[in-house]
């Protein structure tokens, strides 16, 4: 799952208009943002294995610290706590916590059963939507489109940056997604980790966009 996580983060803007899109995306994608750090430090492992499912050429050999259910709950709680202590925004706190957990839930729909219940657990979750390209594209596109529509209606551009930086960001994400679906599999796991780490740029980009848009509901 990729675009779906971003879609949920976009849609959360209506429910929590005071929270920047940057923070909403960081929450929705948090497990995948810390995953490459665990990969690069050798604490988690991924293997390039074309055909692992129809959609992804990756075999998620081990990722208990970023992607077990227990860890996801812990990260959600931690993320929400940090957000609460820095903003005292109760609504935002609820939604950022929910978004962190939503990443695991959406992954559990998409992945084959490789998401552990807790580190070292043999109980694995994963409904395997990735075995169908059509179903995956449909769900990702629906969630993403929904998010874009909701974010666009919940905010308005303060200046041209708010319009064009937003549009470029959305097109860039779609391009990245199509590239990953249609392009050749990555050469090795190190490459996967470095590219995944690059997703932090999307978070910064979203903070920039959000600063140039306003939520009229608030004013
Ligand atoms: Zn994930």
């Amino acid at each position: 799952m990729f675009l779906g996580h971003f879609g949920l983060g976009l849609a959360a803007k209506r429910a929590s208009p005071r929270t920047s899109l940057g923070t909403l995306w960081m929450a929705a994608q948090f497990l995948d943002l810390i995953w490459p750090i665990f990969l690069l430090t050798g604490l988690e492992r991924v293997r390039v294995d074309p055909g692992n499912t129809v959609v992804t050429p990756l075999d998620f050999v081990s990722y208990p610290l970023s992607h077990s259910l227990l860890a996801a709950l812990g990260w959600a709680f931690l993320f929400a706590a940090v957000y609460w202590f820095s903003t005292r925004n109760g609504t935002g706190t609820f939604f950022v916590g929910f978004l962190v957990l939503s990443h695991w839930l959406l992954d559990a729909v998409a992945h084959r059963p490789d998401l552990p219940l807790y580190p070292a657990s043999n109980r694995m979750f994963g409904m395997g939507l990735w075995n169908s390209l059509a179903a995956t594209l449909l769900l990702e596109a629906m969630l993403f489109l929904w998010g874009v529509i909701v974010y666009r209606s919940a905010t308005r551009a303060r200046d041209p940056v708010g319009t064009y930086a937003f549009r470029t960001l959305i097109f860039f994400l779609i391009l990245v997604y199509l590239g990953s679906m249609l392009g050749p599999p990555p050469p090795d796991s190190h490459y996967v980790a470095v590219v995944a780490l690059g997703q932090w740029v999307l978070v910064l980009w979203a903070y920039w966009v959000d600063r140039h848009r306003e939520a009229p509901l608030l004013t």
Side-chain angles (χ1 to χ4, degrees):
M1 183 75 45
F2 181 73
L3 288 181
H5 299 304
F6 290 94
L8 228 57
L10 281 159
K13 183 71 177 180
R14 181 186 293 289
S16 182
R18 283 179 210 281
T19 312
S20 169
L21 181 63
T23 306
L24 296 172
W25 272 10
M26 201 199 299
Q29 199 55 351
F30 194 66
L31 305 186
D32 280 9
L33 287 164
I34 55 173
W35 173 60
I37 299 168
F38 292 130
L39 287 178
L40 291 169
T41 50
L43 291 166
E44 299 194 338
R45 279 174 53 220
V46 69
R47 200 167 60 93
V48 179
D49 175 31
N52 190 276
T53 57
V54 175
V55 172
T56 184
L58 299 180
D59 178 9
F60 299 92
V61 180
S62 161
Y63 53 173
L65 300 175
S66 63
H67 278 76
S68 68
L69 176 57
L70 186 70
L73 283 165
W75 293 120
F77 185 77
L78 194 70
F79 198 108
V82 170
Y83 186 80
W84 166 255
F85 284 114
S86 47
T87 65
R88 304 278 163 180
N89 172 355
T91 310
T93 299
F94 172 80
F95 279 100
V96 297
F98 170 75
L99 281 173
V100 175
L101 189 61
S102 79
H103 182 103
W104 191 91
L105 296 171
L106 282 181
D107 274 4
V109 172
H111 288 222
R112 66 178 179 77
D114 60 17
L115 294 148
L117 181 59
Y118 54 86
S121 165
N122 289 324
R123 178 83 176 83
M124 298 290 180
F125 293 89
M127 289 161 61
L129 184 78
W130 275 347
N131 289 312
S132 163
L133 180 62
T136 301
L137 285 175
L138 190 70
L139 183 65
E140 296 254 35
M142 272 170 39
L143 284 172
F144 191 64
L145 191 69
W146 173 60
V148 171
I149 291 170
V150 171
Y151 182 84
R152 272 203 60 194
S153 69
T155 61
R156 62 172 170 235
R158 287 182 205 276
D159 52 34
V161 174
T163 303
Y164 296 107
F166 175 58
R167 276 187 204 167
T168 327
L169 175 57
I170 296 305
F171 284 122
F172 180 73
L173 264 179
I174 295 171
L175 218 64
V176 166
Y177 183 64
L178 291 179
S180 74
M181 299 290 270
L182 304 172
D188 55 39
S189 57
H190 182 80
Y191 179 92
V192 173
V194 172
V195 170
L197 206 55
Q199 291 186 90
W200 282 97
V201 174
L202 300 172
V203 172
L204 296 178
W205 193 340
Y207 274 113
W208 182 49
V209 163
D210 204 85
R211 205 169 302 162
H212 290 271
R213 297 183 70 89
E214 59 194 354
L217 295 174
L218 283 179
T219 53

